[in-house]
Amino acid sequence: MPSDRQNTERPDFERRLSDALHETGAAFDADRSALVAAGTARGRRLRRGRRAAVLGSVAGVALVGVGGALVVADSGSSNRSPASVTGTPTPSGASSPAPVTADRMISNLEALLPAGRFSKAEGRGVDRDEPLVAPYAQVVYDDGHGAAAVSVTMNRVAPGGYDARQAVRCPDKVFTPYDSCVTSRLPDSSVVTVVKGYEYPDRRVDTKLWTANLVTPDGHHVSVSEWNAAAEKDAPVSRDRPPLSAGQLRTLAAAREWRGVVDAIPKDPRQTQEPPIAQDDGTALRHTLTSLLPAGLKVVAHGADDDSQFTYLVVDDGRGRSLVQINVQPDMSDVAGQLFGAGSETLPDGTLVAARKAPGEKGGDGVVMWTVDTLRTDGFRVVISAFNSGSQETAATRTAPALTLKQLRGIALSPRWRR
């Protein structure tokens, strides 16, 4: 399941995540702890946003819908003073899209925002030499009530495909706390989801992050983000809430100017058309995990059944909630050296087993993470973790996870996963 354990900083987040969404087989940043938690996923799963990249923090694709899924790179970006004119959208029926520069991206964003003052503008246009790097614009906008960062990014997604569905799906609150999430359909059949959430899921700083993610029937994906501070991170809160209402966010995301920008992005030949029906069915995975739980544990919540390699349960034995999550992955032999080092065990049949106790990864006060990782000789990997809280984002609800390392080991080594 997707996720980034590392605290990626926007706009660095907006500069890097596009590669994760669109480059099949590309390398990605992860430290050894992240690899221990989930390992390297390849092929189509890489292009889906590294959904299995880090078992310990599964909000990655959820965050695609929250924080803007499309990314830009450092090279070729433009820092410039605010512009006073917008660019011209691609004319209807034009034989080829008009060039899209960084200045045009910034000018469009400024022109589409309500009257106010702009500063610290930067952006990137469409670079036909780097078609996988998404165009973007961001400004610091002040409507007289305090400075606020506002950004927009865009790219193509396969119509009806997994990325399109995930972009407009409300995040899972187990991994991404938020105040509200509303999905609506526009007259042109575009779907837009507005999420009012927070820059820091653990709320250590009260920086609000509100986003609108829009996907059109043709696969245009536009993501707008705004904050109640002059920067996404490491800036003091400058106002009670971000400047744009939910309706204004929807309108900004739906602006025709962005459609012309997406039309100018060269199509990625590696992006295949995906059918509108989900490719992965995680129902069997969830049912298998449920069937392997020790007696006395009540399942009080579970993840969506849209992934055949990842699922989670929240269980309670009467002494507090405990999150349990699992990845089941084939063809993982190439990461054995990274995942199973000193202290690992080799069973008589050659299966590698590693058991670890570590602090939680997401900042919840007192949260611990107990993990058992297994790798069969044919590369079949099962890694399971349990926490002493119903979410990594919230404080511990009990002294230890509801499952012991021995119980986690038994679940991971069960032959039922082969079915």
Side-chain angles (χ1 to χ4, degrees):
M1 202 67 181
S3 72
D4 292 343
R5 165 168 188 265
Q6 297 170 336
N7 235 346
T8 312
E9 304 256 341
R10 288 183 198 77
D12 287 343
F13 166 78
E14 294 181 347
R15 293 187 174 114
R16 287 197 288 255
L17 184 56
S18 181
D19 292 341
L21 286 172
H22 304 290
E23 291 190 22
T24 304
F28 68 100
D29 292 333
D31 58 17
R32 187 177 186 279
S33 176
L35 288 168
V36 165
T40 307
R42 293 171 301 284
R44 184 164 178 256
R45 193 155 300 276
L46 276 172
R47 189 174 57 75
R48 286 180 170 187
R50 316 280 195 246
R51 292 198 294 148
V54 183
L55 175 64
S57 37
V58 188
V61 171
L63 283 171
V64 167
V66 177
L70 308 171
V71 194
V72 293
D74 290 323
S75 60
S77 62
S78 169
N79 294 316
R80 36 90 79 190
S81 58
S84 58
V85 295
T86 65
T88 303
T90 304
S92 176
S95 59
S96 61
V100 179
T101 65
D103 281 355
R104 175 180 162 188
M105 289 293 300
I106 296 168
S107 297
N108 282 346
L109 177 57
E110 293 176 349
L112 290 166
L113 289 170
R117 298 180 60 184
F118 302 99
S119 62
K120 298 183 179 178
E122 62 178 270
R124 182 186 179 94
V126 175
D127 188 339
R128 303 193 71 83
D129 294 329
E130 295 184 77
L132 301 183
V133 182
Y136 83 105
Q138 61 185 36
V139 298
V140 174
Y141 165 68
D142 193 337
D143 58 359
H145 301 285
V150 180
S151 72
V152 60
T153 60
M154 58 213 65
N155 214 333
R156 298 181 185 272
V157 291
Y162 178 84
D163 290 343
R165 298 190 302 276
Q166 284 296 109
V168 293
R169 179 177 175 179
C170 288
D172 191 326
K173 278 196 169 182
V174 168
F175 304 109
T176 309
Y178 57 88
D179 292 332
S180 69
C181 179
V182 178
T183 299
S184 55
R185 188 175 294 273
L186 303 183
D188 67 353
S189 295
S190 297
V191 177
V192 59
T193 297
V194 176
V195 180
K196 294 183 177 181
Y198 300 87
E199 178 64 32
Y200 302 94
D202 60 5
R203 303 285 300 277
R204 62 184 182 274
V205 179
D206 197 32
T207 304
K208 293 181 172 64
L209 166 58
W210 292 3
T211 63
N213 273 276
L214 176 140
V215 174
T216 73
D218 296 325
H220 299 75
H221 179 192
V222 180
S223 182
V224 178
S225 300
E226 60 169 344
W227 293 261
N228 62 332
E232 303 92 327
K233 294 181 183 290
D234 301 324
V237 170
S238 54
R239 49 193 298 147
D240 290 338
R241 61 182 62 191
L244 304 180
S245 67
Q248 289 172 314
L249 278 175
R250 278 191 292 268
T251 299
L252 180 55
R256 302 303 303 182
E257 285 82 349
W258 309 133
R259 311 290 177 93
V261 174
V262 179
D263 287 338
I265 299 172
K267 291 186 177 180
D268 180 4
R270 294 174 292 183
Q271 185 183 64
T272 58
Q273 180 81 10
E274 295 182 59
I277 298 176
Q279 294 296 303
D280 288 338
D281 182 0
T283 305
L285 191 69
R286 177 169 59 85
H287 287 173
T288 300
L289 179 57
T290 302
S291 71
L292 292 171
L293 291 176
L297 289 181
K298 179 182 179 181
V299 177
V300 296
H302 63 78
D305 294 330
D306 64 352
D307 192 332
S308 63
Q309 294 188 10
F310 170 86
T311 194
Y312 77 84
L313 303 173
V314 178
V315 300
D316 195 332
D317 57 2
R319 289 174 286 183
R321 293 192 170 202
S322 179
L323 172 65
V324 181
Q325 55 191 33
I326 192 165
N327 262 95
V328 179
Q329 303 167 313
D331 305 322
M332 298 296 291
S333 296
D334 56 340
V335 298
Q338 297 167 297
L339 302 171
F340 301 90
S344 298
E345 176 185 2
T346 303
L347 303 184
D349 66 356
T351 298
L352 298 173
V353 181
R356 304 173 183 87
K357 293 183 178 182
E361 300 171 330
K362 288 296 184 178
D365 187 27
V367 173
V368 297
M369 174 182 181
W370 294 2
T371 299
V372 173
D373 202 342
T374 65
L375 185 70
R376 274 69 165 182
T377 54
D378 63 354
F380 185 75
R381 181 177 183 234
V382 179
V383 53
I384 183 170
S385 294
F387 304 82
N388 59 335
S389 176
S391 168
Q392 289 199 69
E393 315 291 351
T394 57
T397 55
R398 48 191 300 141
T399 56
L403 284 84
T404 65
L405 282 177
K406 181 178 180 180
Q407 291 169 327
L408 292 172
R409 176 191 173 100
I411 293 174
L413 292 173
S414 171
R416 296 186 195 177
W417 299 115
R418 291 289 196 177
R419 301 174 190 171

